Structures are given as C-alpha cells and as structure tokens.
C-alpha cells in the first residue's frame, strides 16, 4: 500500500457514502485528513461535499484551506475562476449567490490574495480589470498600488482596440468604476496634469453616453412608425420609446446603464477641482452656478501669472466646456430629440430655428416710407417694423438680446429649452473671451473630435444664426447636410425628408437674412415641392413666448418652428413673400413681383390687408397692371372684388391684363377637386351675396370675358388656399426664381 | 442557634423551611463578605437536614417549597452566595439525609428546566462536576425519566433552548447520561428522545461539549472519582457501540414493532459521530492555549480498553449468519477507527500506534482500522508548508498518563489475530 492508494481508498469510501449518509462520508474524510493532511484530493472532496450542499461557512473554510495549502492546484484555480466570475456577474440565481456568499466567508487578506492571483491569471483586459476592480472596491488600501495602473491599462486597451467611440466598455469601467476609487482615495497623490487628463476622459465618456444615438432596435421601432405616419406628423403621444435597451459592447445590459450621468460628471469635477486646488465657490453645486462662478473668475484672469494663471485657465475652460456641452445637449434634445437614445422623440418632433416672419404681412412701413392710401375707409396698420437685411459685419450687434418666439402650447418645455440655449451661448462666449481659453478649449474639441458631433453642430449652427453670422451658418449647414444623410434612425422617407428640409429651410432663412432673396427662394421652393399641403387652415399661434408682447418686435427676432408640413408651408410662404415685398413696392415698376406679392398676401388673410391696399394703391398709380397668373392663383374674394372695382370708373379705370390665357384656366384646373368644384359651385354662385358684391361694376360695360373669369374665380373661393398656393410654388417655381435678381 | 431551632420547631414545616432558607441567605452572604474561604458550619447543615430535608410535607407544601427555593436562587445576585446555598442544601454528606437530598434535588432541577431557571441549572452543573458519578447518574436518570420518558415531545423547544441558555449544565448532563447509558444491556440503551435532544444540542452548539474543559482553570485538579471533563469518551462509546446495540435492540423488537428505533437512531448516531470528530478537531487549539497539549488525555486508555473488550464480547454474541451483521460490525469498526485516529491526531488520546495495535488485536478485520493501526505511509519528498494549525498530532514518546499501556490485557504484539488466516502487514508507526 502506498500513501496514494490509501488516499484513493479513503476518498472513494467517502464518495460512495455521500448520497446515503453524508455525515458518515464527512467522518471518513475528517479521518482521512488527519492521516494524510497534505493530500489534496481529500480536502477537495470535503470541499465538494460542502459546496454541493451549499453550506457556505464550512465550504468557505475548506476553500480557504485549499487556497492556502494547495495554491498551485489547477482545480483550486478553476474554482476560484468560477467564484470570481460570479462576483463580477449580475446574475441573481441561487448558485451565483452561494458563490458570492462563499467568497465573503474568506478572511479579508485571503480575499485580497485570491483576487490578485485571479487577476494575474486573466489575459483578457476587461476581465482582468473587472477582477482588479473587485479588489479595489473591497480593499481601498490596494487602490494606491493598483489604481493608476488599472486606469492606464484600460485607457491603453481602448487605444489598442482602436475603439471609435468613448462609450466603450474600457472607458465605462475606467470612468464609472475605477476613477471614483482613485480620486476619492485620500492616500492617493496624483499630479494635476493626470487628474485633468482623467477628468477630460470622464467628461468625454459621459457626454458621449448622454448624446449616444438611438440603438438598433429603437431604430427599427422608429422606422415602422415613421413608415405609417407619412409626412412626419409625428405627434402620436401614445408611443413611447422609453423602454429602449442599450448595451455597451462587452458589458452586460445592467452594467451598461449609467444613472444620472451629468450628476456623476459633476461629482468627479468637484473632487478633481478640490485636488487640483481650483478656486472653490462656497457651496457650488450645479452647472448654472458653476458658469456664474467661472465667469467671475475670468475677470481676474488678466491679472494672474504663471502657474496660478494656468490653473485658473484650466478651471475656467473645463467648467465652461462642461456647461456648454450640457446646455447644448439639453437644447438639442428638445429641438432634435430623435438624435438621442432614450429621449422621447415621438412625443415631440423636431424644431427649427428661423427668422421670425410672423409679422411680415402686417408690415407697411417700407424702406422709404409709404404714402397713405386714400382708398376706401380702411386704415393702415401702424407698423413700425423694418425688414431685416443683414450680413456678418452687422451680425455681432444683432447677437445681443434677440427674442426667440415659440408656441408655448406646442413646446411645453420652451422656457428650459431657451434657457439651455442661452447658457450654452454664454459658455461659448466665455470660452472665446480670452485667447488662452480659446486655445485650451480648441484642444479639448479636437481631441474629442467635436466636429463630428452632429448634435453639437446643430447647436453651433443655431448659435451662429442667433449671433447673426449667417454666412458662417450657411457653410456650417452645408457641412451638416454632408453627414446628415447616413444618420441612424432617420432613413425612413417621412422623417428623412423633413430632416433634410430642416437644413434647406434654415439655409433659406439665412440667405434671406443676408438679403440673398433668390437663393432663399430657390431653397425654400425645393422644400415646398416636397411638402403636402394641409387641408385645414392653420390655427393662429396665439400663445407666444415673446419676452414682452406689448413691446413691438425689433424685426430681428427668431422663431422656433416645429418641423412639420403644417408649420413649414406657412413659413415658406411668409419667407417668399418677404423676399418679394421690397422688390414689389419699389418705385420702379415690377408687375411680376407685385403679382406674386398679391398671390402670397392671400395667405393669412386679412393680416396683409394693408399691404394689399398698398399694392392696389401702386397699381392705381401705375394705371395698368399685368399679371397673367392672376386668375390661376388669386381666389380671395376681397381681392377679386378690389380688382373688379379697379376697372370701374370709380376705381380709376385701371387697365388690367390678368387673363391672356383663358385656356390655361380651363386646361389647368386643380387636379384633385378644382374641376369638379367649378361645375358644382357655378349654379350656386348666382345666389350668393358675394356674387352681388363682385359683380358690382361689371355690369357697367366691362368686357364679357373678364366678367366670366371673375365669376368662375368666385366659384373657386371654396378651394383650399394652401393647395392653391402650393400649386403656385410648384408650377411657377422657375418664374418665381427668375423674377429675383 | 439553639434559640433559632426552638423557634423553628414551633413553626409549620413550610414556614420553617422558608426560615432556614432565609437564614442561609443571610448567613452565607456574611461569610462571602467576611471570610477568605467561606464554608458552611455543621450547625447550619443540621438545620437544613432537620427543617428542609426531614420534615414531612404534603405534596402541595413540597411544591410551594420548590417555588420558594426557585425564587431564592433566582433573586440571589451573587454567584458565590448562590453556589454556597446550593452546596449547603445539596452537597452529599454521606448520611441518611442524602436520600431525601437527592429526591429534593431531582425535583428542583427538573422544575428549573421546565421554567428555565438558569441560575439553578448553573449550580446543578457545578454539583454534577463535584459529586460522585453514582449520584450524578441518579440525578440524570430522574431528569431523563421526567423529560424523555414521561413527557416525550412536549418539552422539545424548552429542552433545545437549554443548549444556548445554560451550556455548562447541558455539558455536564451529557457526560452524566453517557455514563448512565453505556449500551451494555437493553436497559442501559438510551431512549431515542434523549439521543435526539443531545444531537440537537451539539448540532447547534458544538463547543458545548467542551464547555467544562474551557471553564476549568488548567491547574485545578478534578475531584477524584468525579465525572470526566468532557463527555467525549462517553459519546465515542455510544457512537461506536450503537450499530451493534440497536441491532440487538431491533432484533428483540421485531415482534412488537420497535424496529423503527433503529431507523431513527441510525442517522442520529451518524450525525453525532461526525460532531464528535469535529469537536475533537477543536481540541488542539484549546489544549495548546491551556498548555495541556500532550498532557491531558481526554480519552483515557482504560476507557478504550473497556470499550474494546465490550465490543469483543458483543461481537461474539452476534449471529454471524444474519444478513446485516457484517455491515453493522464494519460500521462499528469504521467508527472506532475514525474515533481513534482523530483523537490521536487531536491530542485527546495519548498513545502510540503500537499501543493501538495491541488494543485492537482481537477485533475482526477492518480496512480503516488496519490503516489507522499502521499509521499513514510516510510520504517521501517535499512536504509543503502548511499554514493551517497542524491537524495531525504525532504522539510523543513518553508518559501515557496515569494508566500506562502495560495495564492493557493486550500489550504485546498480537500473537492471536482475530481471524487467523488474515495477515497483518504492519508498517513502522512513524
């Protein structure tokens, strides 16, 4: 008999007994161990029995013995691997909980050693890091020795794996798990440069995390919905995307989740700030207060020198950058919610920042002032506004105190959104206020590649529009349309078109602001071609966010407009009108422009009544007026009446050439309902009051064809005005553009 | 004192007894306060005997007296005074009063268990430590009769709680019952209820078995002829003999259907045996701390000798043709071998493997026993360093306690193996 045979015999007896009489089996093994205390199999068998019975305390004690006495046994290592895997996992099953409990029974130093040795055996960086993290969490004293190395190895792994996004498993582990341990450990002494580097890594991660795009399954969901809702009227409040799942590659769903990222970032900032000996604000908490504080600090910047100055610089740049990116994110998440994961994109669609043209029809006071129109009893509205023409030189001056109009009922969070926009702009301005700050900030931007952040470019573009840098805004928009196409979640036809329109409309708005009316019209007519006119008349926006409604607007206000056909078509009409308005009312005669203006004045009638009267006034002065499209697109009964009146003696016998092509009227009825309507309405027309009004004067010897055309036109009064104006934009696109220089 | 006796004589039995208890309380409190070695004088002892033990009382009066005594011990806040009162009442004096003393003690302790009077049970534990085993067994018998035979089952929670409320009493009680029931006859085979209670105590509090050892200062000497410091020897005897004893029990019970006892007792003994081995493994640390490692034999060779000779006798009585006999014999020998090996390793049994061979030479063959008698094969080569407290204890050559192995009837090299055909390939024992 050899010792090995003895041991095999003893273990075998125990094994045979264990199911029938576990106590006897254990008695055998206890005896065996006193005989052969150095035999591994005996102890392993003891451990196996306790482990299978899930006796935490006794199994833990035996595991401890094995770990101490047989540190080189592969079986022990396999077991330790299983246990540490359970420690790292989120799994809540009984086995995993038992294994975690088992680990807890080990004495602290042994836990420490187990984790360290287990770490040494890991070849996968992520696993190794998770293992080491278990160690650091349990044994804060080990942070001093391993913390920075672990952090560096994670950051190196990120580089080595050529990961494109900062929202990756290594960075997540570094920022959310390792970094707090390092910076909160009182025994750690780290140079400020390293702390700042870590701070920026954390900020890049959290910003990337918050602004990550919708995930794959979210996209599918979005697509299906977009498909069913043609034209982007994405208003269905019943659809929520809140339940989207998001997983960082290499991590579990649970550990991919980062709660309150902005708050965590602020926590890190507070600690790093204290460690870097930044100027502390008393009780400074929150991004808004932080911006105020660094603004104050900035005042002292010119008087500082050397290290104090560079320390102050870093503080201002980092704090202001974080406020900038956070506020810009908040703004863009309200304006373009579909860009982000987890933001409820369907509840509120996107919004476009444009020149505010809502009062364009009521403007009467033109460049050179307008003479009073004597005609009729109507009074001219008391307009004080001027159309705006702007260029980059004027821009800066305009950037101060511009109002941004928004419909409060359509955008419930308007106040917060505008406040975020303001904070972001102020942070930006602060960062540009000194060369040294700008340089530092640009370094951050280039290392984070913020140029590729679509969401930030959206903010940036809106900001420079606000500042009046329209030329810059146009080039920014051009760049944006470059990388907007492959944007995830927006490939569906409806949404995609509207997003594309977004850029075009903003471009149109900028061109208009620069006085480039032809370009503006080109862009907007591209947009209008793709819109579907809405049937109902637009509800007048009554609840507006203007700062002071009693104060007259300065004419350089902006407006946030929902990105829907319903809102965009009216805006396009206003914009087109604005482009022609100046031209139409100049001293030189331009009947085509004046005609377009008359057509467009129908929109939002009677807002533009006084301007219409001004046009009539001009026609009277001219003595004649030629606009061959008149009967195609003017269906407004008041206008028709006015033009009919012009031909009478009382009206001044104005010579109107409005129907060179009667055939066109007939050949080109409204494709959907115009033809039918004509015949349907004709008999009834005779009996209406309108008929009486319109025909006033016609009986006094006007030409028969004009009278007929007028009567026919009256029958079209029921036509949807938007359909008529939309057709005007589509059919007359070339003429419209050509009539602008 | 004479005056006091006169006045006591005029009282009725109960109030006189009450007066004596009151007197004891005052008198012994004074002793503890003023005297360096407090003791009870003869006069007081005589008063106790005359007015508490000898007075005839009705059952009701006796019950009232017990209640008074219970509260007397309960209310006494000083341990020393309480112990002295208990000693004055119940220390055996070797006179005819001892019978009534034992009777009253049995009733008092039984009542204290029922109502959970820990101070009385502590005093009883001390009493069990100091009194002769014969009386200890008598007290144990009373308690077993009261709790395990009269009221089986009904008191289980109360009894189970005892192991946490008063471990010293439980320890001494177990020691007493292991000497009471030696499993030699059916009469002396413990009731299953008692076994269940003991197993549950030790399962919940394994160290309970060692509490008397732990509480005893290393220098103090046990009174000659008192119970063991631990019940370990008795428990080993139980576990080793159980397979044979209950087998015999079962065989007899076949007719009246008590085979269930065997089924119930089997797993309990298996568990108890494991507990004993586990407790033995605790010993090296405790003994080393007390400086007694290798000097205090908790399992004494004469106890083993008598156990092994008992076994030999039992084995001869068994019918070797019965189907289960071999299984039971092997289980007995397995447990014996395990107990011997672990006791030796734990320093509870101080003898050499050669002594073991001599002791066990007449037993039938058993692989494990043979392995234990031969000892482990010495492993050549590198011995890894062991951090844990050494579990193996190598018996040192030298004095083997008060009972040299030469007393054993089987000291010499076995000349007559139990099975002559079987060779005993002994290896050197170290």
């Amino acid at each position: 008999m050899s010792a090995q045979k003895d041991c095999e015999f003893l273990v075998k007896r125990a094994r045979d007994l264990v199911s029938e009489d576990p106590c006897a089996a254990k008695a055998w093994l206890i005896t065996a161990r006193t005989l052969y205390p150095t035999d591994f199999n005996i102890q392993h068998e003891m451990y196996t029995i306790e482990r299978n019975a899930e006796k935490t305390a006794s199994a833990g004690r035996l595991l401890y013995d094995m770990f101490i006495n047989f540190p080189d046994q592969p079986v022990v290592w396999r077991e330790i691997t299983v246990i540490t895997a359970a420690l790292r996992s989120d799994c809540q099953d009984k086995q995993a909980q038992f294994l975690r409990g088992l680990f807890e029974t080990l004495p602290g130093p042994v836990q420490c050693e187990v984790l360290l040795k287990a770490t040494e055996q890991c070849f996968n960086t992520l696993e190794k890091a998770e293992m080491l993290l278990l160690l650091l969490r349990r044994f804060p004293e080990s942070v001093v020795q391993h913390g920075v190395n672990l952090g560096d190895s994670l950051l190196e792994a990120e580089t080595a794996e050529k990961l494109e996004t900062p929202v990756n498993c290594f960075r997540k582990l570094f920022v959310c798990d390792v970094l707090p341990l390092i910076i909160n450990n009182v025994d750690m002494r780290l140079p400020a440069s390293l702390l700042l580097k870590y701070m920026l890594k954390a900020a890049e991660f959290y910003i990337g995390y918050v602004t990550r795009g919708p995930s794959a399954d979210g996209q599918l969901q979005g697509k299906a919905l977009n498909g069913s809702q043609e034209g982007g009227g994405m208003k269905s409040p019943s659809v929520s995307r809140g339940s989207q799942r998001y997983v960082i590659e290499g991590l579990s769903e649970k550990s991919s989740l980062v709660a309150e990222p902005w708050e965590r970032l602020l926590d890190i900032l507070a600690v790093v700030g204290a460690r870097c000996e930044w100027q502390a604000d008393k009780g400074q908490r929150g991004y808004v207060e932080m911006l105020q504080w660094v603004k104050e600090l900035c005042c002292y910047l010119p008087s500082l020198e050397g290290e104090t100055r560079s320390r102050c610089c870093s503080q201002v740049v980092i704090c202001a950058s974080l406020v900038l990116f956070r506020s810009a994110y908040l703004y863009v998440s309200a304006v373009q919610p579909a860009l982000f994961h987890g933001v409820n994109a369907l509840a509120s669609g996107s919004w476009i920042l444009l020149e505010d043209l809502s009062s364009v029809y009521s403007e009467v006071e033109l460049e050179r002032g307008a003479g009073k129109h004597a005609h009729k009893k109507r009074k001219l509205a008391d307009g004080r506004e001027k159309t705006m023409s702007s260029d980059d030189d004027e821009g800066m001056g305009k950037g101060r105190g511009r109002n941004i109009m928004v419909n409060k009922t359509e955008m419930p969070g308007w106040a917060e959104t505008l406040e975020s926009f303001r904070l972001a702009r102020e942070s930006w301005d602060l960062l540009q206020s000194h060369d040294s700050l700008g340089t530092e900030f640009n370094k951050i931007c280039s290392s984070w590649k913020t140029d590729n952040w679509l969401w930030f470019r959206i903010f940036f573009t809106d900001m420079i529009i606000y500042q009046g840098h329209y030329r810059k805004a146009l080039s920014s928009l051009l760049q944006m349309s470059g990388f907007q196409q492959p944007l995830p979640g927006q490939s569906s036809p409806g949404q995609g078109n509207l997003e594309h329109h977004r850029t075009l409309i903003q471009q149109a708005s900028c061109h208009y602001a620069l006085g480039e009316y032809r370009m503006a019209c080109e862009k907007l007519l591209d947009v209008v071609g793709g819109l579907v006119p809405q049937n109902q008349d637009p509800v007048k926006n009554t609840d507006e966010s203007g700062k002071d409604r009693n104060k007259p607007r300065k004419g350089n206000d902006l407006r946030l407009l929902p990105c829907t056909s319903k809102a965009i078509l009216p805006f396009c009409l206003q914009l087109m009108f604005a482009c022609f308005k100046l031209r139409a009312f100049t001293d030189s005669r331009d009947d085509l422009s004046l005609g377009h203006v008359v057509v467009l004045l129908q929109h939002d009638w009677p807002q533009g009544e006084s301007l219409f009267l001004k046009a009539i006034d001009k026609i009277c002065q001219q003595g004649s007026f030629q606009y061959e499209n008149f009967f195609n697109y003017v269906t407004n009964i008041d206008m028709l009446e006015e033009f009919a009146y012009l031909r009478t003696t009382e009206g001044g016998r104005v010579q109107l050439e409005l129907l060179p092509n009667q055939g066109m009227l007939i050949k080109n009825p409204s494709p959907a309902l115009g033809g039918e309507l004509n015949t349907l309405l004709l008999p009834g027309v005779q009996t209406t009051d309108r008929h009486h009004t319109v025909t006033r004067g016609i009986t006094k010897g006007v030409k028969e064809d004009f009278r007929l055309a007028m009567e026919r036109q009256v029958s079209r009064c029921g036509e949807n005005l938007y359909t008529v104006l939309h057709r005007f934009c589509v059919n007359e696109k070339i003429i419209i553009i050509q009539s602008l220089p | 004192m004479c005056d006091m006796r006169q006045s006591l004589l005029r009282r009725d039995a109960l109030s006189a007894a009450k007066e004596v208890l009151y007197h004891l309380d005052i008198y012994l409190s004074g002793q503890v306060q003023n005297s360096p070695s407090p003791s009870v004088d003869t006069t007081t002892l005589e008063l106790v005997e005359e007015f508490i033990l000898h007075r005839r009382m009705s059952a009701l009066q006796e019950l009232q007296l017990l209640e008074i005594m219970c509260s007397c011990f309960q209310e006494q806040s000083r341990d020393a005074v309480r112990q002295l009162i208990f000693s004055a009442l119940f220390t055996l004096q070797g006179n005819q009063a001892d019978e009534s003393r034992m009777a009253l003690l049995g009733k008092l302790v039984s009542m204290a268990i029922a109502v959970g009077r820990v101070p009385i049970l502590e005093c009883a534990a001390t009493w069990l430590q100091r009194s002769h085993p014969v009386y200890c067994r008598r007290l144990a018998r009373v308690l077993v009769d009261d709790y395990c035979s009269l009221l089986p089952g009904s008191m289980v929670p109360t009894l189970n709680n005892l192991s946490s409320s008063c471990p010293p009493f439980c320890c001494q009680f177990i020691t007493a019952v292991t000497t009471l029931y030696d499993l030699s006859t059916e009469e002396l085979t413990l009731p299953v209820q008692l076994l269940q209670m003991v197993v549950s105590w030790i399962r919940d509090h394994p160290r309970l078995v060692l509490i008397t050892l732990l509480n005893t200062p290393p220098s103090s000497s046990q009174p000659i002829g008192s119970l063991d410091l631990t019940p370990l020897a008795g428990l080993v005897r139980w576990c080793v003999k159980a397979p044979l004893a209950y087998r015999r029990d079962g065989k007899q019970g076949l007719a009246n259907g008590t085979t269930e006892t065997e089924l119930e007792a089997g797993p309990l003994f298996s568990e108890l045996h494991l507990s004993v081995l586990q407790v033995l493994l605790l010993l090296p640390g405790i003994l080393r701390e007390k400086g007694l490692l290798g000097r205090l034999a908790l399992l004494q060779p004469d106890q083993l000798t008598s156990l092994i000779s008992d076994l030999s006798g039992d084995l001869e009585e068994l019918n070797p043709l019965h189907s289960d006999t071999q299984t039971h014999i092997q289980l007995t020998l397995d447990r014996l071998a395990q107990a011997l090996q672990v006791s030796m390793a734990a320093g509870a049994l101080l003898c050499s493997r050669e002594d073991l061979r001599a002791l066990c030479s007449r037993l039938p063959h058993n692989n494990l026993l043979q392995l234990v008698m031969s000892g482990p094969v010495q492993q050549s080569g590198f011995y890894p360093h062991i951090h844990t407290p050494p579990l193996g204890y190598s018996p040192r050559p030298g004095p083997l306690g008060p009972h040299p192995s030469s007393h054993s009837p089987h000291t010499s090299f076995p000349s007559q193996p139990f099975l002559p055909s079987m060779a005993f390939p002994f290896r050197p024992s170290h």
Side-chain angles (χ1 to χ4, degrees), chain A residues 360-408:
Chain A
V360 74
Y361 290 117
S362 54
E363 289 173 1
V364 284
E365 198 176 314
L366 300 172
E367 298 298 274
R368 283 173 290 112
K372 294 251 166 164
H373 193 306
H375 182 66
K376 285 205 166 179
K377 310 124 260 188
R378 292 170 189 159
K379 292 251 166 72
L380 290 176
D382 183 24
R384 291 182 204 103
E385 300 172 38
K386 288 180 75 176
T387 36
M388 181 177 54
S389 85
S390 154
D391 57 38
D392 283 344
D393 297 330
E394 278 179 83
M396 281 312 278
K398 286 211 172 80
R400 305 278 167 250
R402 297 178 77 174
N403 284 342
I404 298 174
M405 310 294 159
V406 64
N407 186 311
K408 285 182 190 175

Side-chain angles (χ1 to χ4, degrees), chain B residues 124-140:
Chain B
T126 314
W127 185 93
L128 283 165
Q129 230 175 308
R130 290 180 182 162
S131 305
H132 192 274
V134 173
Y135 290 97
C136 294
R137 283 195 280 271
R138 278 183 62 179
L139 177 60

Side-chain angles (χ1 to χ4, degrees), chain A residues 38-55:
Chain A
T38 57
D39 184 79
F40 172 69
N41 290 326
I42 293 171
Q43 296 196 34
H44 184 247
E45 194 63 29
M46 293 174 102
Y47 171 72
T48 308
I49 291 176
E50 299 300 329
R51 186 195 195 277
N52 291 346
E54 300 204 336
K55 299 268 178 61

Side-chain angles (χ1 to χ4, degrees), chain A residues 65-76:
Chain A
D65 286 349
M66 287 200 296
F67 181 77
I68 297 297
N69 294 329
F70 308 99
D72 301 321
Q73 284 285 342
V75 182
V76 176

